Amino acid sequence: MLKLIKKKKFFGSALRMNEIYEILFISNSKDGESPVLQKLKEQNFRVQLESFENQINLCSVVTRGTRDLILSDYESWAQTGLEILRMIKERDLMVPYVVIGKELDEQAMISLIETGVSDYIEECNLHHLIPTIKREIRNSLTVKKLKNINFSQCLTEEKFQTLLNISKFMIYTLDLNTDLVDINNAFNEFSGYDKDEILDSSNIYEFIHPNDKKILINGIQKVMDGMFVNNIEFRFKRKNGSYMLLSSNLAPIFDNQNEMIGILFVSEDLTKSKEIEQSIEDHIHRQALIAQFGLETITEKEIDNVFIKATTLLAKILDVEYTKVLEILPDKKFLKLRAGVGWHEGLVGNATVENNKNSQAGFTLLTTAPVIVENLKTETRFCAPKLLADHDVISGMSVIIQGKNNPFGILGIHTKKHRIFSKDDINFLQSVANVLAGVIVRDSTEKDLRESEEKYRMLTEQSLLGTIIISNGQIIFANKGISNILGFSINELLSWDINTINQHIHPENRQIIIENYNKILNEEISSFQSEIQMKKKNNKYLYIQQYSKRIPFQGSSALFINIIDIDKQKNNESLLESSLAEKEILLKEIHHRVKNNLQIISSLIVLQEQYVTDDRILHIFKDFQNRIKVMALIHQTLYNSENLNKIHLSKYIKNLVDNLFKVYSASFKQIKLELDIEDVDFNLDNANACGLIINELVSNSLKHAFSRDDKGKIIVTLKKTGEEKILLDVYDNGRGFPEDLDYKNSDSLGLKLITTITKQMNGKISIERNKGTHVKITW
């Protein structure tokens, strides 16, 4: 956990400016062009390459001069690593030792680190080499700087100021009164507040959206109880008065007396990504609705039903009170309200609007382009007709509905609210008008199928969608939309047969598409839609969304296919995935840094032990160090985990208990360990709590349950019960707890810790004294 001094600035041990660092690289290979050496030279490190076929000159080389870091390949580590670590410890050199080598499993890597190695880098992850070296040198400088500081002093969080300054995330801290204590540069950039300005304002709740305060209150309460809180979302007020949506992780801040002094926030601004994501979803949704609406109009014979569907769809999707279809009357002096939504009773089918430049409808017909009105009361291009004035209309849009040879009329939407319509809104309205134009053209003629096909072509040529019709295995119709999407001319597309189409479908999608085409033609299914990749004329693949339907054609069935270009959407999805991956990498690095910081604290305890002669105090230090290792092991497990939200307890508990047996030399007591751990997924809070409880119970058994020469056993069980609860059972067959022990009111720090954690997790404790001791905890 982070260690901070309340209301004081953070500090970190940065690398010394303009200084060349000395690195001893121990390798059996003399290859001067190895990837490791190349990366070290790029950073202008002064590198001494050594190999030791024997250990005669090992001591003189390792201890000669001042080394900032020792680097070794795995083969050299196997030969000389333990001896080098021994020399570093005996001479108090305090030099980091990093090993590079083959891929190791988790247990092997933990065992290596426990010997004293600072870090282990797999050969396939050399991009971590330079950041690791710089980090370990900084850690070494920090430990050297703190070596002579008395343990009782409060220490600030190492490197935290650097993290504050360079992070792309908003990082800020609160005191226990929820007043802001410190912010980083990103906080200033995203919120617009200067540091002094916002710290003077102080309390965090002043900036939280009223509807989100309860969310933050609950999160802060959990942190006050000593827990970590991940990915809570709330709205934060910027200086300009707008709100940004933040996704935040919260963690408690403790001083070196293990008392909580503040709260750490790490927040990411989701506002733009949410807006982009919503915009993409809305755009694709609208395109799908247009495609579906177009397909529905093919089988709809009553044009008034089509008008009703169109105006209802516009009112719902564009969120307006009024929609209308105005039809030009034969005298061309007026337009009649043919269909619409929201108008006063009796107006649809009867109300008229003048067709001249003084009305919005007439002005639209004259300009032949979409007409947008933001405020009808201040409009100067035309006057508000009685139809709109009587309904208190403020904003609206209108576009032309084309007929066979002349405009059929106007499609419009209106609202009582002031509204600025987007480009997508305009395109959606125009697309619906284009579909209506096709229906009107089809409805106005009684010619044969070919003529109606030509009329439909007028619609599809203007449509945003790509359209093809396939009959008897041959493309018989293609519009400009499909030509623009794939890059082939219409004449080229009309020369394609079904086999040519299949060759332009990505091999991964080809088989399923062919099967669905056949199912449609065999009337096994009526239609289907899918996302596939198709090859363009330039031989590049792009993502499309395809809607396919069977239609009658000259006495047989044909395939009617609409295609939407969704390549940009897929690229945006890829960018969002990359952003998520970057966030996950940062979270893993934070876990790694927290683990390293805990190791530094553990090292400081070891340094302080040199000045303590009281065995009782030494035991307290040892217990404190074990508890720190429990927490560090959690972060090490998460750093190596593919899922940052859950921890597999079986490996974690085994590593934890194995470490305790090493610390207390359990092998000399002839105590056997038995583990019965189900593979239960825990989040960070519960895993940390469970680990601390097991640490206290097993430590207590090893210290007090057996005499030195006793034979015995310790059994740790963790499993789910039939009541969908978790049972933790720690048993030893030693001398047992004293009969008069009241664990709820005990002065023992360990028992107090167990009861406190269990209470926080809403759990229950029971102790059974039967041929030993059973401590059972359920939650």
Side-chain angles (χ1 to χ4, degrees), residues 402-549:
Q402 289 293 340
K404 181 178 180 181
N405 297 311
N406 297 297
F408 169 83
I410 297 296
L411 180 66
I413 63 169
H414 304 280
T415 176
K416 296 179 180 180
K417 303 173 185 176
H418 182 267
R419 174 92 167 263
I420 299 176
F421 295 97
S422 68
K423 190 173 182 180
D424 272 350
D425 294 336
I426 300 169
N427 288 338
F428 186 71
L429 182 64
Q430 184 66 67
S431 297
V432 174
N434 290 342
V435 174
L436 292 180
V439 176
I440 290 166
V441 170
R442 182 193 68 193
D443 188 70
S444 67
T445 184
E446 296 294 334
K447 293 182 180 180
D448 59 19
L449 181 60
R450 175 60 66 182
E451 290 175 340
S452 65
E453 185 181 312
E454 289 297 328
K455 295 182 179 73
Y456 186 76
R457 180 178 286 113
M458 294 175 62
L459 164 66
T460 54
E461 290 294 353
Q462 299 177 55
S463 176
L464 299 175
L465 307 174
T467 303
I468 59 174
I469 297 176
I470 304 170
S471 178
N472 295 323
Q474 185 76 30
I475 293 180
I476 61 170
F477 174 80
N479 73 341
K480 289 182 180 178
I482 189 67
S483 175
N484 292 335
I485 291 172
L486 297 181
F488 295 95
S489 69
I490 292 178
N491 287 334
E492 287 176 314
L493 292 169
L494 291 175
S495 68
W496 286 15
D497 59 16
I498 192 69
N499 291 327
T500 309
I501 296 173
N502 293 338
Q503 290 304 313
H504 283 79
I505 297 174
H506 195 282
E508 292 181 359
N509 310 130
R510 188 174 300 153
Q511 186 59 38
I512 188 66
I513 295 300
I514 293 173
E515 290 176 0
N516 280 307
Y517 284 166
N518 291 332
K519 287 181 180 179
I520 287 179
L521 295 174
N522 293 331
E523 300 187 6
E524 296 178 30
I525 58 175
S526 60
S527 64
F528 83 99
Q529 64 183 55
S530 61
E531 290 183 6
I532 63 173
Q533 292 186 75
M534 284 196 73
K535 184 163 58 177
K536 300 174 64 175
K537 190 172 183 178
N538 61 9
N539 289 324
K540 292 183 178 180
Y541 283 98
L542 82 161
Y543 283 95
I544 64 167
Q545 192 165 34
Q546 176 183 265
Y547 298 85
S548 302
K549 182 179 179 67

Side-chain angles (χ1 to χ4, degrees), residues 9 112 115 314 385 422 467 483 544 641 663 752 755:
K9 291 186 176 180
L112 188 67
T115 63
L314 287 170
S422 68
T467 303
S483 175
I544 64 167
S641 173
V663 169
K752 284 183 178 180
T755 55

Side-chain angles (χ1 to χ4, degrees), residues 219-271:
I220 287 178
Q221 185 58 53
K222 290 181 180 179
V223 177
M224 291 292 190
D225 292 337
M227 296 184 286
F228 289 80
V229 178
N230 295 322
N231 300 322
I232 64 169
E233 294 185 2
F234 54 84
R235 286 165 286 182
F236 189 97
K237 190 174 184 180
R238 297 187 180 97
K239 186 175 181 179
N240 63 12
S242 66
Y243 283 92
M244 54 182 170
L245 179 64
L246 301 181
S247 175
S248 303
N249 291 345
L250 286 64
I253 304 171
F254 297 92
D255 62 14
N256 280 351
Q257 281 70 46
N258 209 30
E259 292 189 2
M260 186 175 173
I261 60 170
I263 304 171
L264 172 68
F265 280 69
V266 179
S267 299
E268 180 183 12
D269 185 3
L270 300 182
T271 309

Side-chain angles (χ1 to χ4, degrees), residues 128 580-590 639 644:
H128 291 158
L580 181 62
E582 181 181 346
K583 179 180 177 182
E584 188 168 316
I585 290 172
L586 179 59
L587 287 173
K588 281 198 171 189
E589 181 61 22
I590 288 174
Y639 177 71
L644 294 178

Side-chain angles (χ1 to χ4, degrees), residues 276-287:
I276 292 172
E277 181 180 350
Q278 187 61 49
S279 175
I280 292 170
E281 290 178 359
D282 289 347
H283 183 71
I284 297 302
H285 178 59
R286 289 182 177 187
Q287 287 183 317

